[in-house]
Amino acid sequence: MKTFYAVLANSLAASLTNNFVWFAVTFWVYLQTRSVLATSVMAGVYSGTVAATGFFLGSLVDRYPKKLSLLVSSLASQLLYGAAALLYFATPARVFTDPSAPVLWVFVVLTLFGAIAGNLRSIALSTLVTLLVPEPDRERANGMVGTSNGVSFLVCSIFSGLVIGYLGMGWMLGIAFVLTILVVAHLLTLHVPDVAAAGAGQGDGEPAAPAEPPRLDIAGTIRAVRAVPGLFGLIFFSTFNNLLGGVYMSLMDAYGLSMVSVQVWGFLWGALSLGFIVGGLVVAKKGLGGRPLRALFLSNIVLWAISSVFAVRSSIVLLAIGMFVYLCLIPAVEAAEQTVFQKVIPPERQGRVFGFAQSAEQAASPVTSFVIGPVAQFVFIPFMSVGGAGARLLGPWFGVGPDRGLGLLFTVTGLIGLAVTLFAMRSAAYRRLSVAYQDAPAPEGGEAPSGTSKASPGELSPAA
C-alpha cells in the first residue's frame, strides 16, 4: 500500500499538470475566437484521440514495466508542451483570434496531445491497483483515485482561469513544462514492482506477467471480455453515456462563460470540483457496498435526473448546484466500473481490457463533439433566439436567447440519459454481469470484498 500511495501522489501531480493544460487551452481558445464550433472541435479531437489510442496504450502497459509506462507518459507530455511553447512564442498573437487559422489548430493539437499522453498513466494506474492493493480493499483504492482526480480538477479549475485571465498562455505553458519535470524527477526515485502484492493478484507474490508475451491481441482481448457474461453490455452502456456526455464536454464552457467571466468560471469549477473529492472520499471510506454494478446504475439514475433540470433556467446558481451533485457521483461510477474489471479480468490482460474499454467508450464522444457544435450553433441556438419557433413556444417559461438554446440541449440530453439508464438496469445483461461478479473467485489467500456475499439471481434482479 505504501507503494500505491507513492504512485498515486505522483499520478496526482501529473494529472494536475495535464488537466491544467486542458482547461486553460479550452478557456483560451473560446476567449480568443468566441466560437462554440472551435471548442466542440477541440473536444472531438481530444476524445477521438483517446478512443483511437486506448487499446494501443493498454497493450503497452501489459507489455512493458509499469514504471516505464508512467515515465513515457510524462516525457511525451513534456516534449509536446515544449513544442507548443515554441510555436506560441513564434506566432503573432492576432493569428490565434482566427478560428480557421491552421497554426491555431497545430497549437491546439500539440497541447491536447500532451494532455492525452496522460492516458497511458491512467491505464497503468488502474492495473497497479490490482497489483498493489488486496482485492477486498480495491473499491476504496479506486475511491482514492477518484479523490485524487477531484483534487486535480479543483486546483486546475481555479488556477487555469486565473493564469489565462491574468498571466496569459505563455505563463501557462511554462508552468506546465516545469511541473512535468518535477513529476519525472519524483518518479525516478520510486520503485514500482510488476509483481502482485500478497492477496492482490491471482496468487501471493506471483508475477503479474503471463507466460505468453503480451501483444496487441485484439481478438484475444475481445474473447476475454466475452467470457464474462454481460461485460460487453456494461461497456456498451458506458459508451452510450459518453455519447451523451460529449454534449456537456463540448458546450459547458460556452454555456458558463455566457453568464460569468473566465476568472469566476475558473473559481466556480474549482469549488464544484469539491464534488469529485467528496464523492471519492465517500467511496474510499465506505466502498460500494459489495455490489459495484448496482451502485453504478443507481448513481447514473441520479446523475441524469440532475442533468435534466439544472439548465431549465439561465442561472449560475442552479448550474452550480446541479453540477456539484453530478460531480459527486462521477467517482462512484468510475470506481464501480474499475472494480468490476479488476475482479473479473485476469491481471495479465487488464491493461488491454482497460484500454479496449477506454477506446470503445470514448469512441462515441468525438461523434457527439463534432456533431453537437453545429447542431447547437445552427439548430438549438436559433430555435431559442428571438424570432425562433422555440422562443415563441417555450420562451415564456424557459427563457429566450443563445444560452437558452444550450440549456434546452442539456435538458433533452439528460432526459435521454435517464431513460436509457432505467432501461439498461432492467436488462438481462445487467443481471448476468451481477451474478458473474458475485461468482468470480476471490484471489488465492484473499477474502471476498467487504460487504459482499453470494446471492441468488433473484436477489440480484433490478427490482431488488
Side-chain angles (χ1 to χ4, degrees):
M1 289 298 290
K2 177 184 282 189
T3 302
F4 168 70
Y5 294 142
V7 172
L8 184 60
N10 185 267
S11 295
L12 171 59
S15 177
L16 279 169
T17 305
N18 294 327
N19 285 338
F20 175 62
V21 172
W22 164 250
F23 277 54
V25 171
T26 303
F27 293 165
W28 179 78
V29 168
Y30 179 75
L31 293 173
Q32 291 288 109
T33 65
R34 292 292 174 178
S35 171
V36 172
L37 285 175
T39 56
S40 68
V41 169
M42 286 177 62
V45 170
Y46 179 88
S47 53
T49 306
V50 170
T53 60
F55 192 81
F56 172 71
L57 296 179
S59 299
L60 294 180
V61 170
D62 281 344
R63 179 180 288 272
Y64 298 105
K66 301 298 186 285
K67 181 175 179 176
L68 180 61
S69 298
L70 301 175
L71 189 61
V72 168
S73 173
S74 292
L75 290 175
S77 295
Q78 188 171 26
L79 178 64
L80 289 163
Y81 295 153
L86 291 175
L87 179 64
Y88 175 78
F89 288 113
T91 304
R94 66 179 182 279
V95 175
F96 293 118
T97 62
D98 180 6
S100 64
V103 69
L104 171 66
W105 291 104
V106 172
F107 175 79
V108 166
V109 167
L110 287 173
T111 52
L112 294 191
F113 277 25
I116 288 167
N119 287 335
L120 176 60
R121 174 183 287 272
S122 68
I123 294 172
L125 182 60
S126 295
T127 65
L128 282 169
V129 170
T130 306
L131 293 177
L132 302 175
V133 180
E135 196 266 344
D137 296 326
R138 286 184 199 149
E139 291 182 358
R140 295 174 176 83
N142 288 324
M144 293 178 196
V145 174
T147 300
S148 72
N149 290 337
V151 172
S152 171
F153 208 75
L154 184 153
V155 174
C156 295
S157 298
I158 295 175
F159 284 98
S160 58
L162 289 175
V163 169
I164 293 299
Y166 292 117
L167 299 178
M169 179 57 65
W171 275 92
M172 187 282 293
L173 292 169
I175 293 170
F177 193 81
V178 171
L179 287 176
T180 306
I181 291 175
L182 296 176
V183 168
V184 171
H186 177 253
L187 181 59
L188 291 174
T189 68
L190 300 181
H191 172 64
V192 183
D194 279 284
V195 177
Q202 295 300 301
D204 294 347
E206 290 297 319
E212 60 169 318
R215 57 190 187 279
L216 198 61
D217 192 18
I218 297 176
T221 296
I222 291 176
R223 285 195 299 271
V225 175
R226 290 181 61 187
V228 181
L231 192 57
F232 257 123
L234 175 60
I235 293 175
F236 178 79
F237 174 75
S238 297
T239 300
F240 188 82
N241 267 0
N242 282 349
L243 181 71
L244 299 179
V247 175
Y248 300 92
M249 182 178 181
S250 301
L251 303 177
M252 184 58 68
D253 285 329
Y255 183 60
L257 290 171
S258 70
M259 292 185 277
V260 296
S261 69
V262 65
Q263 292 92 332
V264 172
W265 185 237
F267 267 114
L268 177 61
W269 270 104
L272 293 179
S273 300
L274 289 170
F276 268 137
I277 299 174
V278 170
L281 288 175
V282 170
V283 176
K285 183 175 179 59
K286 302 291 186 180
L288 298 167
R291 296 176 64 180
L293 193 63
R294 181 176 176 82
L296 183 151
F297 277 88
L298 292 177
S299 297
N300 270 289
I301 288 173
V302 178
L303 183 151
W304 288 119
I306 291 295
S307 301
S308 303
V309 298
F310 77 78
V312 295
R313 289 287 183 272
S314 184
S315 166
I316 196 66
V317 174
L318 189 60
L319 169 63
I321 294 172
M323 291 308 299
F324 181 78
V325 177
Y326 183 105
L327 295 175
C328 282
L329 295 169
I330 294 297
V333 172
E334 294 180 346
E337 184 177 17
Q338 290 172 357
T339 301
V340 171
F341 284 173
Q342 287 158 354
K343 185 173 183 183
V344 302
I345 298 295
E348 65 270 13
R349 194 172 285 275
Q350 284 185 9
R352 280 163 286 181
V353 171
F354 274 113
F356 171 78
Q358 184 183 85
S359 290
E361 293 168 10
Q362 290 295 329
S365 295
V367 176
T368 308
S369 298
F370 285 124
V371 171
I372 206 63
V375 168
Q377 189 83 49
F378 301 121
V379 178
F380 277 83
I381 289 177
F383 184 71
M384 293 303 298
S385 295
V386 176
R392 294 191 298 271
L393 180 65
L394 305 175
W397 64 273
F398 197 80
V400 176
D403 64 308
R404 293 292 74 215
L406 298 179
L408 179 62
L409 187 52
F410 291 152
T411 299
V412 171
T413 300
L415 291 173
I416 294 173
L418 180 60
V420 169
T421 302
L422 291 172
F423 173 80
M425 200 173 180
R426 303 291 302 181
S427 69
Y430 169 84
R431 294 191 292 272
R432 289 197 298 268
L433 184 55
S434 295
V435 173
Y437 177 84
Q438 296 290 337
D439 289 344
E444 194 176 313
E447 299 177 357
S450 176
T452 302
S453 60
K454 296 288 183 180
S456 68
E459 290 174 310
L460 294 167
S461 68

